[in-house]
Amino acid sequence: MTGEPMRIGALDIEVPIVCAPMAGGPTTPALVRAIAEAGGLGMLAAGYLTAAALAPLVEEVDEATEGRYGVNLFLPGRDVLEDASDPLAADVTNYRRRLARYADRYGVEVGEPRWFDEDIAAKVSVLADHRPALVTVTFGDPGPDLVERIHREVGAAVGVTVTSVIEAHAAVASGADLLIAQGIEAGGHRGIWTDDPRDPLGGPGLGSHDLVAELAAAQDLPVIAAGGLMSGADIVAVRGAGAIGAQLGTAFLRADEAGTSVVHRTALADHNRAGEPETVITRAFSGRSARSLATSFAEDNADAPAAYPQVHYMTKPIRAAAASAGVADDVNLWAGTGWRRARTGSAAAIVDRVRAEMADPDRRT
């Protein structure tokens, strides 16, 4: 099974690797193109972007890959500040006060909390002009209307990020073509549909291998595994559990073509974080549970209100200033549990090494 291509819609992907859509900078058109040229599938990250900002990125990738790419959409959550009586509204106000001391370090202001509808309708119109092979959604159930529109206007397969069998059944009912099974090991935002504000982790979660096995047994859609996967041996294992392929993100954070910031790259290169947890799940940076390298900001503010994307916009000026100053402690250093195995070099070289490991899982490259 390990030598078989991964079929997504009408497209055969030679190497069963999807480069995870990493919003906020790491995913670049150059990275998407490099993954496609190496035989995998690159994913543009449309999260946080307006449709106008997304359009030139899609055009660039579309021309370079002849449609052999995908695009990930964030689904908007509810506007917790719409109702002033909502307890989360008070929590957001209190968190703004707490953030002021961090902002003062860099001479910036705490950002305004705001809600963004993610421009979904307009983004689908952009994609319809270019027709990527795959459109995936994260943070919720797309519903049958959105899935049908993507099928009709874009002509793409639709993948839904899920973290449980319950979410998977709902995605199936909405007409999804495949599932992205995100295990608890994944770096960046958890794809859970409801981020439980009472739980520091946002809610329960299975490891990627167990989640794939459960989904494969519970329904018939193809499953792509995600979360903590770094090597060919990891991919062989999840394919053995029933996945058709694997989505890797942290594995490409140090790739030449990635837009990963200098401060983030430097932190990933530090393999001697003695006395600290390798990673933590925190709401500190965005208001949604996400896995980051352990820093004092991430840990001290892990209990930030479950108000996404309002918290994201509040911390954005702080994070940008900290990155410019080279202060890793106040930056969202998203990383999966396998971050110590992230490799440098071109994306093609990383794919080639993983492919060699798939052929010989005991090989060390």
Side-chain angles (χ1 to χ4, degrees):
M1 183 178 183
T2 58
E4 298 176 3
M6 174 175 60
R7 189 166 185 81
I8 294 178
L11 192 62
D12 283 328
I13 309 299
E14 179 188 353
V15 184
I17 293 175
V18 175
C19 183
M22 296 175 284
T27 292
T28 63
L31 180 60
V32 175
R33 176 179 180 174
I35 297 295
E37 291 176 345
L41 186 73
M43 295 288 297
L44 272 178
Y48 308 131
L49 301 179
T50 63
L54 175 64
L57 304 179
V58 176
E59 183 174 358
E60 180 179 349
V61 168
D62 195 73
E63 291 178 354
T65 66
E66 298 181 341
R68 298 179 66 85
Y69 69 101
V71 178
N72 174 255
L73 305 175
F74 283 177
L75 297 179
R78 68 185 182 93
D79 185 357
V80 300
L81 302 186
E82 186 176 31
D83 180 1
S85 66
D86 189 320
L88 274 175
D91 292 341
V92 169
T93 298
N94 291 333
Y95 193 49
R96 287 199 76 197
R97 296 192 187 102
R98 193 196 307 183
L99 290 172
R101 65 186 178 92
Y102 295 97
D104 288 346
R105 292 178 182 174
Y106 305 103
V108 299
E109 297 291 331
V110 177
E112 289 294 324
R114 64 185 179 91
W115 183 74
F116 178 41
D117 68 0
E118 285 292 340
D119 226 1
I120 295 294
K123 284 176 179 175
V124 174
S125 295
V126 168
L127 300 184
D129 291 336
H130 299 283
R131 305 179 75 80
L134 175 67
V135 175
T136 63
V137 298
T138 302
F139 297 155
D141 184 353
D145 291 344
L146 179 57
V147 172
E148 193 277 333
R149 185 185 172 205
I150 293 171
H151 283 158
R152 182 182 71 253
E153 297 184 18
V154 184
V158 176
V160 179
T161 304
V162 299
T163 62
S164 69
V165 170
I166 291 174
E167 292 174 353
H169 284 318
V172 171
S174 289
D177 300 293
L178 60 88
L179 304 174
I180 311 297
Q182 190 202 60
I184 192 69
E185 307 95 336
H189 287 110
R190 295 197 60 197
I192 46 177
W193 291 7
T194 302
D195 195 14
D196 185 350
R198 300 162 298 178
D199 185 340
L201 301 182
L206 291 173
S208 54
H209 189 279
D210 289 341
L211 180 59
V212 166
E214 287 203 6
L215 296 184
Q219 54 79 55
D220 296 326
L221 290 186
V223 176
I224 294 175
L229 309 176
M230 303 293 292
S231 69
D234 294 337
I235 297 175
V236 169
V238 293
R239 293 193 94 186
I244 63 168
Q247 179 171 281
L248 280 61
T250 303
F252 291 105
L253 279 175
R254 301 179 70 192
D256 296 341
E257 299 88 348
T260 313
S261 68
V262 173
V263 70
H264 198 168
R265 288 179 183 271
T266 301
L268 290 167
D270 178 9
H271 291 188
N272 300 302
R273 303 169 67 84
E276 295 182 358
E278 291 192 350
T279 58
V280 294
I281 294 180
T282 180
R283 288 197 184 93
F285 300 103
S286 71
R288 190 173 180 94
S289 298
R291 187 177 293 278
S292 168
L293 293 181
T295 66
S296 60
F297 189 103
E299 294 183 289
D300 293 347
N301 300 292
D303 61 344
Y308 173 89
Q310 289 87 352
V311 171
H312 163 77
Y313 290 115
M314 287 197 297
T315 65
K316 187 174 181 179
I318 299 169
R319 291 181 280 120
S324 295
V327 181
D329 215 42
D330 295 338
V331 178
N332 53 315
L333 304 174
W334 299 151
T337 56
W339 68 275
R340 292 181 188 275
R341 293 183 285 155
R343 318 172 206 205
T344 58
S346 69
I350 294 171
V351 170
D352 285 345
R353 289 197 291 266
V354 172
R355 179 168 19 193
E357 293 167 350
M358 289 181 65
D360 180 5
D362 293 327
R363 174 176 178 163
R364 297 291 182 269
T365 57

Short mmCIF file of all heavy atoms in Angstrom, two decimals, residues 131-178:
data_model
loop_
_atom_site.label_atom_id
_atom_site.label_comp_id
_atom_site.label_asym_id
_atom_site.label_seq_id
_atom_site.Cartn_x
_atom_site.Cartn_y
_atom_site.Cartn_z
N ARG A 131 -10.15 26.85 -10.10
CA ARG A 131 -10.45 25.42 -10.02
C ARG A 131 -9.31 24.56 -9.47
O ARG A 131 -8.74 23.72 -10.17
CB ARG A 131 -10.91 24.91 -11.38
CG ARG A 131 -12.09 25.71 -11.94
CD ARG A 131 -12.53 25.20 -13.30
NE ARG A 131 -13.25 23.95 -13.19
CZ ARG A 131 -14.54 23.85 -12.84
NH1 ARG A 131 -15.23 24.94 -12.56
NH2 ARG A 131 -15.12 22.69 -12.76
N PRO A 132 -8.97 24.73 -8.19
CA PRO A 132 -8.02 23.82 -7.55
C PRO A 132 -8.61 22.42 -7.44
O PRO A 132 -9.83 22.23 -7.56
CB PRO A 132 -7.84 24.45 -6.16
CG PRO A 132 -9.12 25.19 -5.92
CD PRO A 132 -9.51 25.73 -7.27
N ALA A 133 -7.75 21.45 -7.20
CA ALA A 133 -8.21 20.06 -7.13
C ALA A 133 -8.95 19.75 -5.84
O ALA A 133 -9.82 18.87 -5.80
CB ALA A 133 -7.01 19.12 -7.27
N LEU A 134 -8.61 20.46 -4.76
CA LEU A 134 -9.16 20.15 -3.45
C LEU A 134 -9.44 21.44 -2.69
O LEU A 134 -8.63 22.38 -2.71
CB LEU A 134 -8.17 19.29 -2.64
CG LEU A 134 -8.52 18.98 -1.19
CD1 LEU A 134 -9.75 18.07 -1.11
CD2 LEU A 134 -7.34 18.29 -0.48
N VAL A 135 -10.58 21.49 -2.03
CA VAL A 135 -10.89 22.57 -1.09
C VAL A 135 -11.21 21.92 0.25
O VAL A 135 -12.07 21.04 0.33
CB VAL A 135 -12.09 23.42 -1.56
CG1 VAL A 135 -12.46 24.45 -0.49
CG2 VAL A 135 -11.78 24.11 -2.88
N THR A 136 -10.47 22.30 1.29
CA THR A 136 -10.74 21.77 2.62
C THR A 136 -11.25 22.89 3.52
O THR A 136 -10.98 24.06 3.29
CB THR A 136 -9.49 21.13 3.25
OG1 THR A 136 -8.48 22.13 3.43
CG2 THR A 136 -8.95 20.01 2.38
N VAL A 137 -11.99 22.49 4.55
CA VAL A 137 -12.50 23.47 5.52
C VAL A 137 -12.11 23.01 6.92
O VAL A 137 -11.99 21.82 7.20
CB VAL A 137 -14.04 23.63 5.43
CG1 VAL A 137 -14.45 24.15 4.06
CG2 VAL A 137 -14.75 22.33 5.74
N THR A 138 -11.91 23.99 7.78
CA THR A 138 -11.48 23.74 9.15
C THR A 138 -12.33 24.56 10.11
O THR A 138 -12.76 25.66 9.79
CB THR A 138 -10.00 24.12 9.32
OG1 THR A 138 -9.21 23.37 8.40
CG2 THR A 138 -9.49 23.83 10.73
N PHE A 139 -12.56 24.01 11.30
CA PHE A 139 -13.27 24.64 12.43
C PHE A 139 -14.77 24.42 12.40
O PHE A 139 -15.49 25.08 13.15
CB PHE A 139 -13.01 26.15 12.53
CG PHE A 139 -11.59 26.52 12.80
CD1 PHE A 139 -11.10 27.77 12.42
CD2 PHE A 139 -10.71 25.66 13.45
CE1 PHE A 139 -9.79 28.14 12.66
CE2 PHE A 139 -9.40 26.01 13.68
CZ PHE A 139 -8.94 27.26 13.29
N GLY A 140 -15.27 23.49 11.58
CA GLY A 140 -16.70 23.26 11.65
C GLY A 140 -17.25 22.44 10.51
O GLY A 140 -16.51 21.96 9.63
N ASP A 141 -18.56 22.29 10.53
CA ASP A 141 -19.30 21.57 9.50
C ASP A 141 -19.61 22.55 8.37
O ASP A 141 -20.27 23.56 8.60
CB ASP A 141 -20.59 21.03 10.11
CG ASP A 141 -21.40 20.18 9.14
OD1 ASP A 141 -21.03 20.11 7.96
OD2 ASP A 141 -22.39 19.59 9.60
N PRO A 142 -19.16 22.29 7.16
CA PRO A 142 -19.44 23.22 6.07
C PRO A 142 -20.91 23.27 5.70
O PRO A 142 -21.38 24.28 5.18
CB PRO A 142 -18.60 22.66 4.91
CG PRO A 142 -18.48 21.20 5.21
CD PRO A 142 -18.39 21.11 6.71
N GLY A 143 -21.64 22.19 6.00
CA GLY A 143 -23.04 22.13 5.63
C GLY A 143 -23.21 21.78 4.16
O GLY A 143 -22.32 22.03 3.34
N PRO A 144 -24.34 21.20 3.79
CA PRO A 144 -24.54 20.73 2.41
C PRO A 144 -24.55 21.86 1.38
O PRO A 144 -24.14 21.65 0.24
CB PRO A 144 -25.89 20.01 2.46
CG PRO A 144 -26.57 20.50 3.70
CD PRO A 144 -25.48 20.83 4.66
N ASP A 145 -25.01 23.06 1.75
CA ASP A 145 -25.08 24.15 0.77
C ASP A 145 -23.69 24.57 0.30
O ASP A 145 -23.45 24.76 -0.90
CB ASP A 145 -25.82 25.35 1.35
CG ASP A 145 -27.30 25.09 1.55
OD1 ASP A 145 -27.81 24.11 0.97
OD2 ASP A 145 -27.95 25.86 2.29
N LEU A 146 -22.76 24.74 1.25
CA LEU A 146 -21.40 25.14 0.87
C LEU A 146 -20.71 24.03 0.09
O LEU A 146 -20.03 24.30 -0.91
CB LEU A 146 -20.59 25.51 2.11
CG LEU A 146 -19.13 25.92 1.87
CD1 LEU A 146 -19.05 27.11 0.91
CD2 LEU A 146 -18.43 26.25 3.19
N VAL A 147 -20.87 22.79 0.53
CA VAL A 147 -20.24 21.67 -0.18
C VAL A 147 -20.76 21.59 -1.61
O VAL A 147 -19.97 21.45 -2.56
CB VAL A 147 -20.50 20.35 0.57
CG1 VAL A 147 -20.02 19.16 -0.27
CG2 VAL A 147 -19.79 20.34 1.92
N GLU A 148 -22.07 21.72 -1.76
CA GLU A 148 -22.65 21.63 -3.09
C GLU A 148 -22.17 22.78 -3.98
O GLU A 148 -21.89 22.59 -5.17
CB GLU A 148 -24.18 21.65 -2.98
CG GLU A 148 -24.90 21.25 -4.27
CD GLU A 148 -25.05 22.41 -5.25
OE1 GLU A 148 -25.09 23.57 -4.80
OE2 GLU A 148 -25.10 22.16 -6.48
N ARG A 149 -22.03 23.97 -3.40
CA ARG A 149 -21.56 25.11 -4.18
C ARG A 149 -20.13 24.89 -4.65
O ARG A 149 -19.79 25.19 -5.81
CB ARG A 149 -21.65 26.41 -3.37
CG ARG A 149 -21.29 27.60 -4.23
CD ARG A 149 -21.25 28.92 -3.50
NE ARG A 149 -20.72 29.94 -4.39
CZ ARG A 149 -20.12 31.05 -4.01
NH1 ARG A 149 -20.00 31.35 -2.71
NH2 ARG A 149 -19.65 31.90 -4.89
N ILE A 150 -19.28 24.38 -3.77
CA ILE A 150 -17.89 24.10 -4.17
C ILE A 150 -17.85 23.05 -5.27
O ILE A 150 -17.12 23.18 -6.27
CB ILE A 150 -17.05 23.67 -2.96
CG1 ILE A 150 -16.91 24.85 -1.97
CG2 ILE A 150 -15.67 23.19 -3.39
CD1 ILE A 150 -16.30 24.47 -0.64
N HIS A 151 -18.64 22.00 -5.11
CA HIS A 151 -18.70 20.97 -6.15
C HIS A 151 -19.14 21.57 -7.49
O HIS A 151 -18.54 21.31 -8.54
CB HIS A 151 -19.69 19.88 -5.75
CG HIS A 151 -19.17 18.92 -4.73
ND1 HIS A 151 -19.98 18.17 -3.92
CD2 HIS A 151 -17.90 18.60 -4.37
CE1 HIS A 151 -19.25 17.42 -3.12
NE2 HIS A 151 -17.99 17.67 -3.37
N ARG A 152 -20.19 22.38 -7.45
CA ARG A 152 -20.79 22.90 -8.68
C ARG A 152 -19.93 23.97 -9.35
O ARG A 152 -19.70 23.94 -10.56
CB ARG A 152 -22.17 23.48 -8.36
CG ARG A 152 -22.93 24.00 -9.59
CD ARG A 152 -24.27 24.61 -9.23
NE ARG A 152 -24.14 25.89 -8.52
CZ ARG A 152 -24.37 26.06 -7.23
NH1 ARG A 152 -24.77 25.02 -6.48
NH2 ARG A 152 -24.23 27.24 -6.66
N GLU A 153 -19.43 24.93 -8.57
CA GLU A 153 -18.75 26.08 -9.15
C GLU A 153 -17.25 25.90 -9.28
O GLU A 153 -16.64 26.43 -10.21
CB GLU A 153 -19.06 27.34 -8.32
CG GLU A 153 -20.54 27.71 -8.31
CD GLU A 153 -20.79 29.00 -7.55
OE1 GLU A 153 -19.84 29.77 -7.33
OE2 GLU A 153 -21.95 29.22 -7.15
N VAL A 154 -16.65 25.21 -8.32
CA VAL A 154 -15.19 25.04 -8.34
C VAL A 154 -14.80 23.72 -9.00
O VAL A 154 -13.74 23.61 -9.62
CB VAL A 154 -14.62 25.12 -6.90
CG1 VAL A 154 -13.10 25.04 -6.92
CG2 VAL A 154 -15.07 26.41 -6.21
N GLY A 155 -15.67 22.73 -8.86
CA GLY A 155 -15.36 21.41 -9.42
C GLY A 155 -14.30 20.67 -8.63
O GLY A 155 -13.64 19.77 -9.16
N ALA A 156 -14.14 21.05 -7.35
CA ALA A 156 -13.10 20.44 -6.52
C ALA A 156 -13.69 19.41 -5.57
O ALA A 156 -14.87 19.48 -5.19
CB ALA A 156 -12.39 21.53 -5.71
N ALA A 157 -12.85 18.46 -5.16
CA ALA A 157 -13.22 17.59 -4.05
C ALA A 157 -13.23 18.43 -2.78
O ALA A 157 -12.49 19.40 -2.66
CB ALA A 157 -12.22 16.44 -3.92
N VAL A 158 -14.08 18.07 -1.82
CA VAL A 158 -14.20 18.81 -0.57
C VAL A 158 -13.74 17.92 0.58
O VAL A 158 -14.26 16.81 0.77
CB VAL A 158 -15.65 19.28 -0.33
CG1 VAL A 158 -15.76 19.96 1.04
CG2 VAL A 158 -16.09 20.22 -1.43
N GLY A 159 -12.76 18.42 1.33
CA GLY A 159 -12.28 17.72 2.52
C GLY A 159 -12.66 18.50 3.76
O GLY A 159 -12.66 19.73 3.76
N VAL A 160 -12.98 17.79 4.83
CA VAL A 160 -13.37 18.43 6.08
C VAL A 160 -12.45 17.96 7.20
O VAL A 160 -12.23 16.75 7.36
CB VAL A 160 -14.84 18.11 6.45
CG1 VAL A 160 -15.23 18.77 7.77
CG2 VAL A 160 -15.78 18.56 5.34
N THR A 161 -11.89 18.90 7.95
CA THR A 161 -11.05 18.56 9.09
C THR A 161 -11.94 18.10 10.24
O THR A 161 -12.86 18.81 10.65
CB THR A 161 -10.24 19.78 9.55
OG1 THR A 161 -9.47 20.26 8.45
CG2 THR A 161 -9.30 19.40 10.70
N VAL A 162 -11.66 16.90 10.75
CA VAL A 162 -12.44 16.34 11.86
C VAL A 162 -11.50 15.81 12.92
O VAL A 162 -10.36 15.44 12.65
CB VAL A 162 -13.39 15.23 11.38
CG1 VAL A 162 -14.39 15.75 10.36
CG2 VAL A 162 -12.61 14.04 10.80
N THR A 163 -12.02 15.75 14.15
CA THR A 163 -11.22 15.24 15.27
C THR A 163 -11.94 14.12 16.02
O THR A 163 -11.45 13.66 17.04
CB THR A 163 -10.91 16.38 16.26
OG1 THR A 163 -12.13 16.89 16.80
CG2 THR A 163 -10.14 17.50 15.58
N SER A 164 -13.10 13.70 15.52
CA SER A 164 -13.87 12.65 16.19
C SER A 164 -14.79 11.97 15.20
O SER A 164 -15.05 12.49 14.10
CB SER A 164 -14.71 13.25 17.33
OG SER A 164 -15.75 14.06 16.80
N VAL A 165 -15.31 10.82 15.59
CA VAL A 165 -16.27 10.11 14.75
C VAL A 165 -17.56 10.91 14.61
O VAL A 165 -18.18 10.92 13.54
CB VAL A 165 -16.54 8.71 15.33
CG1 VAL A 165 -17.72 8.04 14.61
CG2 VAL A 165 -15.30 7.83 15.22
N ILE A 166 -17.97 11.59 15.68
CA ILE A 166 -19.20 12.40 15.62
C ILE A 166 -19.07 13.48 14.55
O ILE A 166 -19.98 13.68 13.73
CB ILE A 166 -19.50 13.03 16.99
CG1 ILE A 166 -19.89 11.93 17.99
CG2 ILE A 166 -20.61 14.07 16.89
CD1 ILE A 166 -20.08 12.44 19.41
N GLU A 167 -17.94 14.19 14.54
CA GLU A 167 -17.73 15.21 13.51
C GLU A 167 -17.68 14.57 12.12
O GLU A 167 -18.21 15.13 11.15
CB GLU A 167 -16.43 15.96 13.79
CG GLU A 167 -16.49 16.84 15.04
CD GLU A 167 -15.16 17.49 15.40
OE1 GLU A 167 -14.14 17.15 14.74
OE2 GLU A 167 -15.14 18.32 16.31
N ALA A 168 -17.07 13.41 12.03
CA ALA A 168 -16.96 12.73 10.73
C ALA A 168 -18.33 12.39 10.16
O ALA A 168 -18.59 12.60 8.97
CB ALA A 168 -16.12 11.46 10.88
N HIS A 169 -19.22 11.87 10.99
CA HIS A 169 -20.56 11.54 10.51
C HIS A 169 -21.29 12.78 9.99
O HIS A 169 -21.99 12.73 8.98
CB HIS A 169 -21.37 10.87 11.62
CG HIS A 169 -20.98 9.44 11.88
ND1 HIS A 169 -20.73 8.54 10.87
CD2 HIS A 169 -20.83 8.75 13.05
CE1 HIS A 169 -20.42 7.36 11.39
NE2 HIS A 169 -20.47 7.46 12.70
N ALA A 170 -21.12 13.91 10.69
CA ALA A 170 -21.76 15.15 10.23
C ALA A 170 -21.17 15.61 8.90
O ALA A 170 -21.90 16.08 8.01
CB ALA A 170 -21.59 16.24 11.29
N ALA A 171 -19.84 15.47 8.75
CA ALA A 171 -19.20 15.84 7.48
C ALA A 171 -19.70 14.97 6.33
O ALA A 171 -19.93 15.46 5.22
CB ALA A 171 -17.68 15.75 7.62
N VAL A 172 -19.85 13.70 6.60
CA VAL A 172 -20.39 12.78 5.59
C VAL A 172 -21.79 13.22 5.18
O VAL A 172 -22.12 13.27 3.99
CB VAL A 172 -20.40 11.34 6.12
CG1 VAL A 172 -21.17 10.42 5.17
CG2 VAL A 172 -18.99 10.81 6.33
N ALA A 173 -22.62 13.56 6.17
CA ALA A 173 -23.99 13.98 5.88
C ALA A 173 -24.03 15.26 5.06
O ALA A 173 -24.98 15.49 4.30
CB ALA A 173 -24.76 14.17 7.19
N SER A 174 -23.00 16.10 5.19
CA SER A 174 -22.95 17.35 4.44
C SER A 174 -22.44 17.16 3.02
O SER A 174 -22.45 18.11 2.23
CB SER A 174 -22.07 18.38 5.17
OG SER A 174 -22.71 18.82 6.35
N GLY A 175 -21.97 15.95 2.69
CA GLY A 175 -21.55 15.67 1.33
C GLY A 175 -20.06 15.72 1.08
O GLY A 175 -19.62 15.78 -0.08
N ALA A 176 -19.25 15.70 2.14
CA ALA A 176 -17.80 15.74 1.99
C ALA A 176 -17.30 14.57 1.16
O ALA A 176 -17.91 13.49 1.14
CB ALA A 176 -17.12 15.74 3.35
N ASP A 177 -16.17 14.77 0.48
CA ASP A 177 -15.56 13.72 -0.32
C ASP A 177 -14.45 12.98 0.42
O ASP A 177 -14.13 11.85 0.08
CB ASP A 177 -14.97 14.33 -1.60
CG ASP A 177 -16.03 15.01 -2.45
OD1 ASP A 177 -16.90 14.31 -2.98
OD2 ASP A 177 -15.97 16.25 -2.57
N LEU A 178 -13.84 13.66 1.40
CA LEU A 178 -12.80 13.03 2.19
C LEU A 178 -12.70 13.74 3.53
O LEU A 178 -13.24 14.83 3.71
CB LEU A 178 -11.45 13.03 1.45
CG LEU A 178 -10.84 14.37 1.05
CD1 LEU A 178 -9.98 14.95 2.16
CD2 LEU A 178 -10.01 14.21 -0.22
#
